[in-house]
Amino acid sequence: MTGTPSTPNKITKIEIFRVPPRWLFVRVETEQGIVGWGEGTLEGHTEAIEGAFKDLTERFVGWDADQIQDIWQHAYRSRFYRGGPVLMSALSGLDIALWDIKGKKHGVPIWQLLGGKVRDRVKVYVWVGGDKPADVLDGAAERRAQGFTAVKMNGTDAVDWIDSPTLLQDTVSRVRDVKSLGLDVGIDFHGRLHKGMAKQLAKALEPLRPLFIEEPLLPTQPEEIADLAQMVSTPIALGERLYSRHDFRPYLERRAIDIAQPDVAHCGGISELHRLASYTETYDVALAPHCPLGPIALAACMQVDIAAPNFAIQEMSLQMHYNEGADLLTYLVDPTVFTVKNGYVEALQGPGLGIEINEALVREAASKHISEKAWRNAVWKGEDGGLREW
C-alpha cells in the first residue's frame, strides 16, 4: 500500500495495448507509483476505442485517481453526446483501472470497497462449439472434465427472417445431447433469429429446461422480447449490447428479462456494473455478467459478483473459439486465480482486481499485434445473397 487514504493520487499516464486475440488493455499509472489495469475491449471496433482513449487521456491525466465517481460523471456527462458502445467501452477500461488502483492503495480487493462479500466463490460457465455450432458433445464432455457444471453454446447458424422449421431441430438435438452429460446449458440465440423463428425455437427448447436463452431477439426489440417472455417459462437473458442503466430500463419495466447480462467492458466498468446489480435486483432479476473477453474483464466482473446478492453465474472465455493467439490465462503471472472446481472459482483475494498482469508480455504482444489488422466478426449472407445476422 502506497500513500495514505487522504493523499491525492494524480493520474500521470494512461496507456492502451491492443493484444491478441481481440482485447484492448488499459494501464493507468499514478504519481504514487500505483499501476491499475483495465479492459476496454469492444470486439470488432478496436480502432474506435483507441480513438476514444486519445480524448480520455487528454482529459484525465492530472486528475486524482481516487475520485472515481467524479471522473466517471465527467467522462459520461460533460460532453454533449454520450453513451453507446464506443464511448462506454472506453470509459469502462478507465473505470476498471481506477478501481484497481484504489484497491491497491488501500491493500484490499475491490469487493471490500463495494461493501464486502456475500459469497465465497463464483459459479461459472464456458462455451462449447463455435459460431456455427455442430459437434458439441465432445466439447461438453471436455468441459465437464475441466470442472465445469454449466456451458453455453450458440443456438443456430445463419437463419432467414422466416426459414424452414427443420433448421431448429438440430438445435434441440444438440441441447439434449449436452444435457445428457449432466451439464446445465444456456442457449445463445445471438440476435440471429427474428420473431417468427425465435418463438418457435424458444417453445421447442422449453421442455429441455435450458439454463437460459440469451438474446432471443435483437436488443432493439424490448416489446417483442417481453411478449416472448410471456410465452415460455425458460429464463430470458440479455444485456451485452446494452450500455447503461438507462438502456436496461425498458426491459425491466416491461418484465422482459429474468437475467441481466451487462458486460463490464461495455457498460461503464465496475461503477456501472455495480449500480446495475442493485437496479436489476429491484425487479427480481438475476445478474450474470457477459464476459467472452480477457482476464482483466473477468476479474472486474468477479469483484462485483462477489458483492452482489442477485448474482447467478459468470461467463468466462477459457479456451473459447475466438481465442486465437492468446487465451484467458496467457497474460497472468499466476493463472491459478481462475482455477475451476466443481463449477466455481474462488473469490479473488489480492488487492485491487486480485490478479497480476504480466506487463512485459503485454508490451511484447502489443508491439507485434499493433501492425496486424484488428479482429472483425464474420459477415454472413444467405443463399439469396441477402445479409444475415451474425
Side-chain angles (χ1 to χ4, degrees), residues 9-10 14 30 224 346 356 383:
N9 192 19
K10 291 184 179 180
I14 299 174
T30 73
E224 290 75 17
E346 293 296 317
E356 185 179 353
E383 294 182 4

Side-chain angles (χ1 to χ4, degrees), residues 182-261:
L183 292 167
D184 284 321
V185 55
I187 316 301
D188 192 353
F189 286 31
H190 216 249
R192 291 174 181 170
L193 301 177
H194 295 278
K195 183 171 62 173
M197 299 300 291
K199 63 183 182 181
Q200 293 182 63
L201 183 55
K203 277 286 191 182
L205 290 171
E206 186 176 16
L208 299 180
R209 301 178 68 186
L211 191 62
F212 55 80
I213 57 175
E214 179 176 328
E215 275 199 330
L217 297 171
L218 289 168
T220 52
Q221 311 299 130
E223 296 284 0
E224 290 75 17
I225 292 173
D227 291 341
L228 183 62
Q230 299 301 315
M231 293 174 52
V232 294
S233 60
T234 308
I236 305 294
L238 60 76
E240 68 191 86
R241 289 189 272 188
L242 305 178
Y243 311 110
S244 69
R245 288 158 289 159
H246 313 291
D247 291 348
F248 272 89
R249 181 178 177 181
Y251 292 91
L252 297 172
E253 291 186 348
R254 290 166 175 79
R255 314 307 193 257
I257 60 173
D258 304 286
I259 302 171
Q261 295 177 310

Side-chain angles (χ1 to χ4, degrees), residues 44-64:
H45 299 278
T46 301
E47 298 91 337
I49 304 303
E50 290 169 340
F53 260 100
K54 291 181 180 179
D55 176 56
L56 291 177
T57 300
E58 179 183 292
R59 294 164 68 185
F60 295 115
V61 166
W63 284 52
D64 185 355

Side-chain angles (χ1 to χ4, degrees), residues 38 57 68-70 76 78 113 198 213 234 267 301 307 350 364 368 385:
T57 300
I68 299 175
Q69 182 66 255
D70 196 31
Y76 181 74
S78 67
L113 304 175
I213 57 175
T234 308
C267 76
C301 288
E364 179 185 353
K368 297 175 180 177

Side-chain angles (χ1 to χ4, degrees), residues 129-146:
D131 270 342
K132 298 185 176 184
D135 298 323
V136 297
L137 192 58
D138 289 344
E142 182 179 352
R143 295 305 201 177
R144 192 170 186 273
Q146 291 172 341

Side-chain angles (χ1 to χ4, degrees), residues 9 15 18 26 35 37 42 75 89 103 111 128 153 156 158 175 182 214 221 234 251 285 306 311 320 340:
N9 192 19
E15 298 177 275
R18 185 197 299 188
V26 181
V35 171
W37 288 91
L42 182 60
S89 295
W111 51 258
V128 293
M153 65 184 189
T156 66
V175 173
E214 179 176 328
Q221 311 299 130
T234 308
Y251 292 91
V285 168
I306 292 162
F311 166 75
M320 191 181 183
V340 178

Side-chain angles (χ1 to χ4, degrees), residues 75-335:
Y76 181 74
R77 294 172 52 207
S78 67
R79 296 285 170 83
F80 185 72
Y81 293 100
R82 62 188 66 175
V86 173
L87 298 180
M88 294 305 288
S89 295
L91 171 54
S92 297
L94 177 59
D95 181 84
I96 294 167
L98 294 176
W99 278 102
D100 191 27
I101 289 168
K102 186 177 283 285
K104 290 173 177 175
K105 180 176 180 179
H106 293 273
V108 297
I110 292 166
W111 51 258
Q112 286 282 22
L113 304 175
L114 300 178
K117 64 180 181 178
V118 296
R119 57 184 50 82
D120 297 322
R121 57 197 60 88
V122 170
K123 190 173 184 180
V124 293
Y125 71 86
V126 284
W127 275 83
V128 293
D131 270 342
K132 298 185 176 184
D135 298 323
V136 297
L137 192 58
D138 289 344
E142 182 179 352
R143 295 305 201 177
R144 192 170 186 273
Q146 291 172 341
F148 292 95
T149 59
V151 296
K152 182 168 78 175
M153 65 184 189
N154 275 311
T156 66
D157 199 333
V159 177
D160 208 349
W161 286 75
I162 297 294
D163 219 323
S164 172
T166 59
L167 294 176
L168 308 179
Q169 188 55 47
D170 286 344
T171 306
V172 175
S173 297
R174 286 192 297 270
V175 173
R176 185 179 290 113
D177 287 344
V178 173
K179 286 187 68 71
S180 72
L181 299 176
L183 292 167
D184 284 321
V185 55
I187 316 301
D188 192 353
F189 286 31
H190 216 249
R192 291 174 181 170
L193 301 177
H194 295 278
K195 183 171 62 173
M197 299 300 291
K199 63 183 182 181
Q200 293 182 63
L201 183 55
K203 277 286 191 182
L205 290 171
E206 186 176 16
L208 299 180
R209 301 178 68 186
L211 191 62
F212 55 80
I213 57 175
E214 179 176 328
E215 275 199 330
L217 297 171
L218 289 168
T220 52
Q221 311 299 130
E223 296 284 0
E224 290 75 17
I225 292 173
D227 291 341
L228 183 62
Q230 299 301 315
M231 293 174 52
V232 294
S233 60
T234 308
I236 305 294
L238 60 76
E240 68 191 86
R241 289 189 272 188
L242 305 178
Y243 311 110
S244 69
R245 288 158 289 159
H246 313 291
D247 291 348
F248 272 89
R249 181 178 177 181
Y251 292 91
L252 297 172
E253 291 186 348
R254 290 166 175 79
R255 314 307 193 257
I257 60 173
D258 304 286
I259 302 171
Q261 295 177 310
D263 190 311
V264 74
H266 304 331
C267 76
I270 289 172
S271 293
E272 187 73 352
L273 182 61
H274 187 232
R275 290 189 284 258
L276 274 162
S278 297
Y279 182 33
T280 54
E281 183 188 6
T282 306
Y283 289 85
D284 200 26
V285 168
L287 179 75
H290 181 261
C291 193
L293 303 176
I296 299 170
L298 177 58
C301 288
M302 287 182 62
Q303 298 297 331
V304 177
D305 300 340
I306 292 162
N310 57 328
F311 166 75
I313 194 167
Q314 175 63 57
E315 180 176 21
M316 60 189 304
S317 71
L318 184 69
Q319 299 173 2
M320 191 181 183
H321 49 284
Y322 297 130
N323 291 357
E324 298 180 358
D327 198 24
L328 177 67
L329 308 180
T330 300
Y331 301 105
L332 293 176
V333 172
D334 178 13

